Coordinates of all heavy atoms in Angstrom, one line a residue:
T1 N 39.1 68.0 -31.4 CA 37.9 67.7 -30.9 C 37.1 66.7 -31.7 O 37.2 66.9 -33.0 CB 37.1 68.9 -30.7 OG1 37.6 69.7 -29.8 CG2 35.5 68.6 -30.3
L2 N 36.5 65.8 -31.4 CA 35.6 64.9 -32.1 C 34.3 65.4 -32.2 O 33.6 65.7 -31.2 CB 35.6 63.5 -31.5 CG 35.1 62.4 -32.5 CD1 36.0 62.2 -33.6 CD2 35.2 61.1 -31.7
N3 N 33.8 65.7 -33.5 CA 32.5 66.2 -33.6 C 31.5 65.0 -33.6 O 31.6 64.3 -34.6 CB 32.5 67.0 -35.0 CG 31.2 67.7 -35.3 OD1 30.1 67.1 -34.7 ND2 31.2 68.6 -36.1
S4 N 30.7 64.8 -32.6 CA 29.9 63.6 -32.4 C 28.9 63.5 -33.4 O 28.4 62.3 -33.7 CB 29.2 63.7 -31.1 OG 28.4 64.8 -30.9
N5 N 28.4 64.5 -34.1 CA 27.4 64.3 -35.1 C 27.8 63.6 -36.4 O 27.2 62.9 -37.1 CB 26.7 65.5 -35.6 CG 25.9 66.0 -34.4 OD1 25.6 65.5 -33.4 ND2 25.4 67.4 -34.5
N6 N 29.1 63.8 -36.7 CA 29.6 63.1 -38.0 C 31.0 62.6 -37.9 O 31.6 62.2 -39.0 CB 29.6 64.2 -39.2 CG 30.5 65.5 -38.8 OD1 31.2 65.3 -37.9 ND2 30.5 66.4 -39.7
N7 N 31.4 62.2 -36.7 CA 32.7 61.7 -36.4 C 33.8 62.2 -37.3 O 34.6 61.5 -37.7 CB 32.5 60.2 -36.6 CG 31.7 59.5 -35.7 OD1 31.6 59.9 -34.5 ND2 31.0 58.4 -36.0
T8 N 33.8 63.6 -37.4 CA 35.0 64.1 -38.1 C 35.9 64.9 -37.1 O 35.4 65.5 -36.3 CB 34.3 65.2 -39.1 OG1 33.5 64.4 -40.0 CG2 35.5 65.7 -40.0
R9 N 37.1 64.8 -37.4 CA 38.1 65.5 -36.6 C 38.1 66.8 -36.9 O 38.1 67.5 -38.0 CB 39.4 65.0 -36.7 CG 39.4 63.5 -36.3 CD 40.8 62.9 -36.4 NE 41.7 63.0 -35.3 CZ 41.6 62.6 -34.1 NH1 40.6 62.0 -33.8 NH2 42.5 62.9 -33.2
V10 N 38.0 67.8 -35.9 CA 37.9 69.3 -36.0 C 39.0 69.9 -35.0 O 39.0 69.7 -33.9 CB 36.6 70.0 -35.8 CG1 36.6 71.5 -35.7 CG2 35.5 69.4 -36.6
N11 N 40.1 70.4 -35.7 CA 41.2 71.0 -34.9 C 41.3 72.4 -35.3 O 41.8 72.7 -36.3 CB 42.5 70.3 -35.1 CG 43.6 70.8 -34.2 OD1 43.7 71.9 -33.8 ND2 44.5 69.8 -34.0
Q12 N 40.8 73.3 -34.4 CA 40.8 74.8 -34.7 C 42.2 75.3 -35.0 O 42.4 76.4 -35.7 CB 40.1 75.5 -33.5 CG 39.9 77.1 -34.0 CD 39.3 77.8 -32.8 OE1 39.0 77.3 -31.7 NE2 39.0 79.1 -32.9
N13 N 43.3 74.7 -34.4 CA 44.5 75.3 -34.6 C 45.0 75.3 -36.1 O 45.8 76.2 -36.4 CB 45.6 74.4 -33.8 CG 45.4 74.6 -32.3 OD1 45.2 75.8 -31.9 ND2 45.4 73.5 -31.5
Y14 N 44.4 74.5 -37.0 CA 44.8 74.7 -38.4 C 43.9 75.7 -39.1 O 44.2 75.9 -40.3 CB 44.3 73.3 -39.0 CG 45.3 72.2 -38.5 CD1 44.8 71.1 -37.8 CD2 46.6 72.2 -38.8 CE1 45.7 70.0 -37.4 CE2 47.5 71.2 -38.4 CZ 47.1 70.1 -37.7 OH 47.8 69.2 -37.4
L15 N 43.0 76.4 -38.4 CA 42.3 77.4 -39.1 C 43.0 78.6 -39.7 O 42.8 79.1 -40.6 CB 41.2 77.9 -38.2 CG 40.0 78.8 -38.7 CD1 39.3 78.2 -39.9 CD2 39.2 79.3 -37.8
Y16 N 44.1 78.9 -39.0 CA 44.9 80.1 -39.1 C 45.8 79.9 -40.3 O 47.2 79.9 -40.1 CB 45.7 80.6 -37.8 CG 44.8 80.7 -36.7 CD1 44.8 79.6 -35.8 CD2 43.7 81.5 -36.5 CE1 43.9 79.6 -34.7 CE2 42.7 81.5 -35.5 CZ 42.9 80.6 -34.6 OH 42.0 80.6 -33.5
Q17 N 45.3 80.1 -41.4 CA 46.2 80.0 -42.7 C 45.3 80.6 -43.9 O 44.1 80.9 -43.8 CB 46.8 78.7 -43.0 CG 45.6 77.6 -43.1 CD 46.3 76.2 -43.3 OE1 47.2 76.1 -44.1 NE2 45.8 75.2 -42.6
H18 N 45.8 80.6 -45.1 CA 45.1 81.0 -46.3 C 44.5 79.7 -46.9 O 45.3 78.7 -47.2 CB 46.1 81.5 -47.3 CG 45.6 82.0 -48.6 ND1 46.2 82.7 -49.5 CD2 44.3 82.0 -49.1 CE1 45.5 83.0 -50.5 NE2 44.3 82.6 -50.3
W19 N 43.2 79.6 -47.0 CA 42.5 78.6 -47.6 C 41.9 78.9 -49.0 O 41.4 80.1 -49.2 CB 41.3 78.3 -46.8 CG 41.7 77.7 -45.3 CD1 41.8 78.4 -44.2 CD2 41.9 76.3 -45.1 NE1 42.2 77.7 -43.3 CE2 42.3 76.3 -43.7 CE3 42.1 75.3 -45.7 CZ2 42.7 75.2 -43.0 CZ3 42.5 74.0 -45.1 CH2 42.7 73.9 -43.7
V20 N 42.1 78.0 -50.0 CA 41.6 78.2 -51.3 C 40.4 77.2 -51.6 O 40.5 76.0 -51.3 CB 42.7 77.9 -52.2 CG1 42.2 78.1 -53.7 CG2 43.9 78.9 -52.1
M21 N 39.4 77.7 -52.2 CA 38.2 76.8 -52.4 C 38.6 75.7 -53.5 O 39.2 76.1 -54.4 CB 37.0 77.6 -52.9 CG 35.7 76.7 -53.0 SD 34.4 77.7 -53.5 CE 34.4 77.3 -55.2
S22 N 38.0 74.5 -53.2 CA 38.3 73.5 -54.1 C 36.9 73.1 -54.8 O 36.2 72.3 -54.3 CB 38.8 72.1 -53.4 OG 38.8 71.1 -54.2
P23 N 36.7 73.6 -56.0 CA 35.4 73.5 -56.6 C 34.9 72.0 -57.0 O 33.9 71.6 -56.9 CB 35.5 74.3 -57.9 CG 36.8 74.8 -58.2 CD 37.6 74.5 -56.7
S24 N 36.1 71.3 -57.3 CA 35.9 69.9 -57.7 C 35.3 69.0 -56.5 O 34.7 68.0 -56.7 CB 37.1 69.3 -58.3 OG 38.1 69.2 -57.2
E25 N 35.6 69.5 -55.3 CA 35.3 68.7 -54.1 C 34.0 69.3 -53.4 O 33.5 68.5 -52.6 CB 36.5 68.7 -53.0 CG 37.7 68.0 -53.6 CD 38.9 68.0 -52.7 OE1 39.5 69.1 -52.6 OE2 39.1 67.1 -52.0
S26 N 33.7 70.4 -53.8 CA 32.6 71.1 -53.1 C 31.3 70.6 -53.8 O 31.4 70.4 -55.1 CB 32.6 72.6 -53.1 OG 33.8 73.1 -52.5
V27 N 30.3 70.4 -53.1 CA 29.0 70.1 -53.6 C 27.9 70.9 -53.0 O 28.2 71.9 -52.1 CB 28.6 68.7 -53.2 CG1 29.5 67.6 -53.9 CG2 28.6 68.3 -51.6
K28 N 26.7 70.9 -53.5 CA 25.7 71.8 -53.0 C 25.5 71.9 -51.4 O 25.3 70.9 -50.8 CB 24.3 71.4 -53.7 CG 23.2 72.4 -53.3 CD 21.9 71.9 -54.0 CE 21.0 73.0 -53.7 NZ 19.6 72.7 -54.3
G29 N 25.8 73.1 -51.0 CA 25.6 73.4 -49.6 C 26.9 73.0 -48.8 O 27.0 73.4 -47.7

């Protein structure tokens, strides 16, 4: 799905896995 507010691709099928936080890429909020 194309998220119209920020033109970013969002595909829920990729959600089902183990995700690890990336502190170097995360910013406030």
Side-chain angles (χ1 to χ4, degrees):
T1 296
L2 192 62
N3 185 333
S4 61
N5 287 353
N6 59 6
N7 294 331
T8 302
R9 298 181 84 65
V10 175
N11 186 331
Q12 186 183 359
N13 293 319
Y14 290 114
L15 187 64
Y16 309 109
Q17 60 180 315
H18 183 169
W19 294 94
V20 177
M21 190 178 92
S22 176
S24 63
E25 297 175 283
S26 298
V27 294
K28 185 176 182 181

